[in-house]
Amino acid sequence: MKYLYILLLLPLFTLYSQTKGTVLKYEVYYNFNTPLSREIDVYATNDYCYSIEKMNTTKKVAKDKVADNEEKLPEKIPNSPEYSSTVLAFDVKWDDLLIYNNKITNKLYTTVQNIDLGRNITVEETPIINWQIVKETKTVKDLNCTKAIASFRGVNWEIWFTNEIPLPYGPWKLQGAPGLIVEANTADKKIHFLLNTVQYNKILPDIKLPNLKEINLQEYVDLLDENGNYEYYEDRNTRVSKQSNTRSPFELIYEWEEEPKK
């Protein structure tokens, strides 16, 4: 009878021991050759932030609507059999982008995927972004927001954060502002994040990073750069070395480098 009582209590203990926090839903817009949008789920507590950019929510967007996020036009989803493009296509399934920012250990984990290197998890110290607060305010999603700007890894960002939600997080690796980042975009408007909904005091899913090889971010970037180097012959006697662009538009130059890679 004693053991039966303990077994009956276990489900209750499991239920009430689950982590509660804030659930955020963003949408990201990419204004490149083929403008796209995707949904991002973010789970946040005072100790960590875990985001999932969901590849199966990819939609093509009208090019002139990416900046203002109005009248999005969903079309076919990349990775589906009927999707076609004018660019060279590879038979690769792109998995969700996962980013885990652990404030206790000051470590940031990111899933990465490359045709040659496969899937890995990069590990880095949580980067410091030196936000400069600008004396501009506006209302975004009924939240009073303040503008801030920063240059992070070779990309100029402008964000709108709110003190009404005192969490120092945002989408992607953007973090460290005095409040939650509600909206963010690159200076050239190629990348734009917008918060859609906020839910408080929700039971959060368990943090589950895939079982992949972990690699230091700097080592991974070096591997990408080496992989991007190639040689060819202009003629029978002249060998030329070149480097393809292996850098993400999010990160063009890193803290340990002096100038951007071309």
Side-chain angles (χ1 to χ4, degrees), residues 40 51 97 99 152-153 157 170-174 193 250-251:
I40 302 175
S51 73
L97 171 63
I99 299 178
F152 176 55
R153 292 181 173 166
W157 287 92
W172 184 60
K173 297 182 182 181
L174 301 177
F193 296 99
F250 282 91
E251 297 168 300

Side-chain angles (χ1 to χ4, degrees), residues 22 48 68 84 102 109 170 204 252 254:
T22 304
Y48 69 82
D68 57 17
S84 63
N102 188 322
Y109 303 81
L204 304 184
L252 302 177
Y254 293 88

Side-chain angles (χ1 to χ4, degrees), residues 11-20:
L12 291 174
F13 177 79
T14 301
L15 175 64
Y16 288 104
S17 65
Q18 289 177 304
T19 302
K20 286 190 174 183

Side-chain angles (χ1 to χ4, degrees), residues 91-103:
D91 185 19
V92 176
K93 179 183 180 297
W94 297 102
D95 295 286
D96 293 345
L97 171 63
L98 311 179
I99 299 178
Y100 174 46
N101 181 0
N102 188 322
K103 284 193 69 179

Side-chain angles (χ1 to χ4, degrees), residues 14 19 43 49 57 83 85 99 145 170 177 193 200 212 224 243 246:
T14 301
T19 302
Y43 306 100
C49 177
T57 65
Y83 180 76
S85 174
I99 299 178
C145 298
F193 296 99
Y200 302 100
L212 301 172
L224 282 181
Q243 184 178 58
T246 59

Side-chain angles (χ1 to χ4, degrees), residues 101-109 124-128:
N101 181 0
N102 188 322
K103 284 193 69 179
I104 296 175
T105 62
N106 197 39
K107 295 288 186 182
L108 191 145
Y109 303 81
E124 59 183 298
E125 299 286 327
T126 300
I128 296 174

